[in-house]
Amino acid sequence: VLQVDPGDTTDVVVDVVNNCDVIDGISANVIGLASEYVRSTPELLPLFPSTAGQLTVSLTIPPAHPAGRHALTVELVSHGAHLPAQYLDVDVEVAPRPSVAVAPQPRLVQARRSARFVIEVTNNGNVPLNVSLEAADSDRSMSARFTPAQARVEPGTVLPVLLHVRGPRMITGAPLE
């Protein structure tokens, strides 16, 4: 079992022995993780008969990979002797990493009394988040209402939330920002 933080890289070292009578070349693939996140050193391990060597399989866990335990399988493929593939099961325990970003669209509105914004709530982490939105007005001159005020945001998704802001009644004067 490998303990890994999202975005980090961990290595799996595999000892390989050539028990056949011909020179063999062994490569490694990982089942359960996209190939762009896997690197094997060396890419092809040459082995003479009755010799041993090591393959280092580097696994980079994507930042948005779901938290929890995930089963991966290292597949060892014979290129010289064409023997059946051998498999090594590895469990990867990905640590939870909550992360959220909030951005208004548009950033600025000119209005006389009320305005609407779309607030984009982005879950950049790897666990679902229950969010509750509130607005703070230090001089208590405006009211704000979010629709919805509470929601669940899944990892890697953006939730649009409508923010309606209402200010004091203006009889004269220019619009406010």
Side-chain angles (χ1 to χ4, degrees):
V1 177
L2 301 171
Q3 304 284 334
V4 184
D5 288 327
D8 286 352
T9 300
T10 189
D11 292 336
V12 176
V13 178
V14 181
D15 291 323
V16 182
V17 178
N18 183 0
N19 291 327
C20 61
D21 295 332
V22 297
I23 298 172
D24 203 356
I26 306 295
S27 66
N29 301 316
V30 175
I31 300 168
L33 192 61
S35 61
E36 66 254 25
Y37 299 112
V38 178
R39 188 177 38 113
S40 178
T41 307
E43 289 185 19
L44 185 67
L45 177 65
L47 291 174
F48 286 98
S50 301
T51 60
Q54 285 187 336
L55 277 171
T56 302
V57 181
S58 299
L59 308 172
T60 301
I61 304 302
H65 198 79
R69 185 172 282 205
H70 303 278
L72 301 178
T73 301
V74 177
E75 176 186 40
L76 300 173
V77 179
S78 167
H79 295 280
H82 302 291
L83 297 171
Q86 298 294 311
Y87 300 95
L88 171 67
D89 292 328
V90 177
D91 285 337
V92 177
E93 184 73 35
V94 180
R97 185 184 58 87
S99 176
V100 68
V102 179
Q105 297 296 330
R107 295 190 56 82
L108 185 64
V109 172
Q110 282 191 347
R112 293 195 57 81
R113 182 156 190 206
S114 65
R116 289 189 180 145
F117 296 87
V118 174
I119 306 296
E120 293 179 346
V121 180
T122 305
N123 184 347
N124 298 319
N126 67 346
V127 291
L129 298 174
N130 293 320
V131 295
S132 179
L133 299 169
E134 295 180 7
D137 180 22
S138 58
D139 60 359
R140 299 183 194 269
S141 63
M142 294 188 228
S143 66
R145 185 181 70 235
F146 292 96
T147 306
Q150 297 179 347
R152 181 178 176 93
V153 185
E154 295 299 322
T157 61
V158 177
L159 174 70
V161 177
L162 183 64
L163 169 60
H164 183 80
V165 179
R166 189 167 182 92
R169 181 176 297 231
M170 293 181 60
I171 298 174
T172 63
L176 299 176
E177 292 182 347

